[in-house]
C-alpha cells in the first residue's frame, strides 16, 4: 500500500523532505554529529567527498576514508531531530520513494554517533572516550512507537532504583548493536558504560541556574545505579533515541562520546576541540579496519 503524501513528504526533486537526500546519496555506514560544523571536521580526514548538501541544520557529506564509503550528517541537538533523521534515512533505504511502498527486502544501515558528553562518574575523566553499551532514555520518544526494543530487565531495575517525579516520562534502556560495539570495546582508549539521554541541557540534566529542580538529587541517583558490569557513565541528548529507532527499524547503532565535562567534580575540558578531533580520527580508523 502506498504511503500518503502527507506522511512521506518529498521535495519537488524527489528527495526526502527534511534531509534533502535521495537513496543514492548515502552510504550504508552513517556517522551522526550534532554540530553542522563538525561534519567537515570529520570529512577533512576523507580521501574524497563525492556528495554534499544542506537543509536547515541537516548537513550531509558522503565520501571515502581509506576505501570505506561513509556518510556524515549533522542532526542538530536533541531527540526531536533524531526522530527526523533516523526515520528519513531509513525511508531512503527501505521505502521506494517513487511508488511510496515499503521495499520487500530490508536494507540494514549502521549509525555511529560521534558526540560530546558530560561524565557523571569520578573515574570518567576529561577527554576520555565513552562507548554507550546502552542508551538510558529519559526523553519519552520510544513510548510513541509500538516496540520490543527495550531491555526489560535493565529497565525494570532502573525504574525500581530511581525515585523521581511521576510527571516525567518513564525511563527506558535500549542496548547498542553488539557487532558495532565489538569494533571498539577492546581498545584501551574506550570506557564502556551506559549513556543517559535527556530532552534538555539544564534542568533535565540536573543543572541548576535560577530555576528550582523537581528532582535535585537526580544526578546522584543516576550515578549510583549499576546493572551488571555497567554504570551510567555520561549524559547527553541523542543516544537513546538513536538506539531505539535503529533497533525498531532493524539497523545497527553505536554512540561514542568525548567527555568534555565531569559533573562529579565540576571540571570542564581545557581543549574540547582537540578531544573531539582525536575521537573522530580514532572512530574513522576503527571503521576502516573492519
Amino acid at each position: 500500500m502506498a504511503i500518503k503524501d502527507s506522511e512521506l513528504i518529498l521535495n519537488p526533486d524527489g528527495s526526502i523532505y527534511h534531509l534533502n537526500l535521495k537513496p543514492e546519496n548515502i552510504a550504508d555506514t552513517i556517522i551522526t554529529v550534532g554540530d553542522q560544523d563538525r561534519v567537515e571536521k570529520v570529512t577533512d580526514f576523507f580521501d574524497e567527498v563525492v556528495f554534499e548538501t544542506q537543509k536547515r541544520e541537516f548537513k550531509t557529506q558522503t565520501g571515502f576514508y581509506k576505501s570505506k564509503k561513509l556518510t556524515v550528517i549533522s542532526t542538530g541537538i536533541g531527540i526531536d531531530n533524531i526522530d527526523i533523521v533516523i526515520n528519513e534515512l531509513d525511508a531512503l533505504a527501505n521505502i521506494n520513494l517513487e511508488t511510496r511502498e515499503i521495499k520487500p527486502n530490508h536494507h540494514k544501515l549502521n549509525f555511529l554517533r560521534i558526540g560530546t558528553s558530560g561524565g557523571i562518574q569520578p573515574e570518567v575523566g576529561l577527554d576520555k572516550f565513552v562507548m554507550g553499551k546502552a542508551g538510558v532514555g529519559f526523553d519519552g520518544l520510544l513510548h510513541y512507537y509500538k516496540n520490543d526494543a527495550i531491555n526489560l530487565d535493565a529497565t525494570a531495575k532502573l525504574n525500581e532504583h530511581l525515585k523521581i517525579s511521576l510527571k516525567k516520562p518513564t525511563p527506558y534502556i535500549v542496548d547498542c548493536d553488539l557487532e558495532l560495539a565489538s569494533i571498539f570495546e577492546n581498545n584501551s582508549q574506550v570506557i564502556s558504560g551506559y549513556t543517559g539521554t535527556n530532552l534538555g541541557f539544564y534542568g533535565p540534566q540536573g543543572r541548576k541556574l535560577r530555576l528550582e529542580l523537581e528532582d535535585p538529587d537526580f544526578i546522584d541517583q543516576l550515578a549510583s545505579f549499576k546493572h551488571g558490569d555497567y554504570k551510567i557513565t555520561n549524559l547527553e541528548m541523542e543516544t537513546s533515541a538513536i538506539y531505539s529507532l535503529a533497533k525498531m527499524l532493524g539497523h545497527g547503532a553505536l554512540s561514542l562520546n568525548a567527555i568534555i565535562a565531569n559533573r562529579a567534580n565540576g571540571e570542564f575540558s581545557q581543549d574540547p576541540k582537540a578531544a573531539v578531533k582525536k575521537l573522530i580520527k580514532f572512530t574513522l580508523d576503527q571503521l576502516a579496519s573492519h
Side-chain angles (χ1 to χ4, degrees):
M1 182 180 296
I3 300 171
K4 296 177 181 178
D5 291 3
S6 61
E7 312 307 294
L8 175 63
I9 305 171
L10 302 179
N11 296 310
D13 66 353
S15 63
I16 199 85
Y17 183 62
H18 294 93
L19 304 186
N20 205 36
L21 294 170
K22 296 180 179 180
E24 62 267 25
N25 300 146
I26 64 170
D28 288 346
T29 300
I30 299 171
I31 294 172
T32 71
V33 297
D35 184 355
Q36 58 190 289
D37 292 336
R38 194 174 295 156
V39 171
E40 289 184 351
K41 295 292 193 297
V42 178
T43 60
D44 279 347
F45 289 103
F46 280 21
D47 302 308
E48 181 184 16
V49 173
V50 297
F51 172 83
E52 60 182 309
T53 191
Q54 180 167 2
K55 185 178 180 182
R56 304 186 188 184
E57 63 267 53
F58 306 116
K59 181 174 182 176
T60 304
Q61 292 187 338
T62 296
F64 292 87
Y65 179 78
K66 296 183 178 179
S67 300
K68 187 173 184 66
K69 189 177 183 181
L70 300 166
T71 291
V72 187
I73 185 168
S74 59
T75 63
I77 297 175
I79 57 97
D80 49 347
N81 281 2
I82 296 300
D83 185 58
I84 291 171
V85 170
I86 303 299
N87 272 297
E88 292 197 1
L89 289 172
D90 172 76
L92 294 176
N94 289 297
I95 298 175
N96 184 319
L97 300 188
E98 294 182 0
T99 65
R100 297 178 168 274
E101 295 179 334
I102 297 173
K103 296 178 180 178
N105 298 315
H106 179 266
H107 187 87
K108 181 182 178 182
L109 303 173
N110 283 318
F111 299 105
L112 274 294
R113 165 168 155 76
I114 298 178
T116 57
S117 186
I120 63 171
Q121 303 290 349
E123 66 271 19
V124 180
L126 296 178
D127 305 328
K128 299 295 185 181
F129 303 158
V130 169
M131 180 182 73
K133 288 288 288 187
V136 184
F138 300 96
D139 52 87
L141 177 66
L142 178 143
H143 302 311
Y144 285 87
Y145 298 95
K146 289 186 177 181
N147 74 88
D148 57 359
I150 293 174
N151 181 324
L152 295 175
D153 180 55
T155 296
K157 290 179 179 176
L158 175 68
N159 284 299
E160 182 180 318
H161 172 83
L162 293 175
K163 308 300 178 188
I164 60 175
S165 170
L166 295 177
K167 293 181 287 186
K168 295 178 178 178
T170 303
Y172 62 89
I173 295 177
V174 178
D175 295 325
C176 73
D177 183 86
L178 295 180
E179 185 176 346
L180 286 176
S182 68
I183 298 174
F184 299 92
E185 64 186 342
N186 295 319
N187 192 294
S188 61
Q189 297 186 68
V190 175
I191 299 169
S192 294
Y194 283 7
T195 294
T197 298
N198 307 74
L199 46 72
F201 184 78
Y202 289 98
Q205 293 191 40
R207 289 184 171 91
K208 181 178 181 294
L209 299 183
R210 292 203 314 116
L211 295 175
E212 295 297 324
L213 302 179
E214 182 74 22
D215 296 300
D217 63 343
F218 179 60
I219 299 301
D220 292 337
Q221 290 190 53
L222 297 188
S224 62
F225 176 74
K226 186 175 183 181
H227 183 254
D229 295 331
Y230 301 110
K231 299 178 182 178
I232 298 176
T233 47
N234 58 309
L235 297 177
E236 43 83 272
M237 295 176 64
E238 288 83 26
T239 293
S240 68
I242 295 173
Y243 283 14
S244 299
L245 290 168
K247 189 174 288 288
M248 288 187 285
L249 290 165
H251 305 301
L254 187 70
S255 177
L256 299 166
N257 281 276
I259 300 300
I260 63 171
N262 187 289
R263 305 288 300 284
N265 54 34
E267 295 178 344
F268 192 82
S269 173
Q270 296 297 306
D271 195 349
K273 290 183 179 180
V276 172
K277 184 176 182 179
K278 184 178 177 183
L279 176 58
I280 290 169
K281 184 63 164 60
F282 169 75
T283 302
L284 291 174
D285 284 338
Q286 294 301 112
L287 287 173
S289 65
H290 288 79

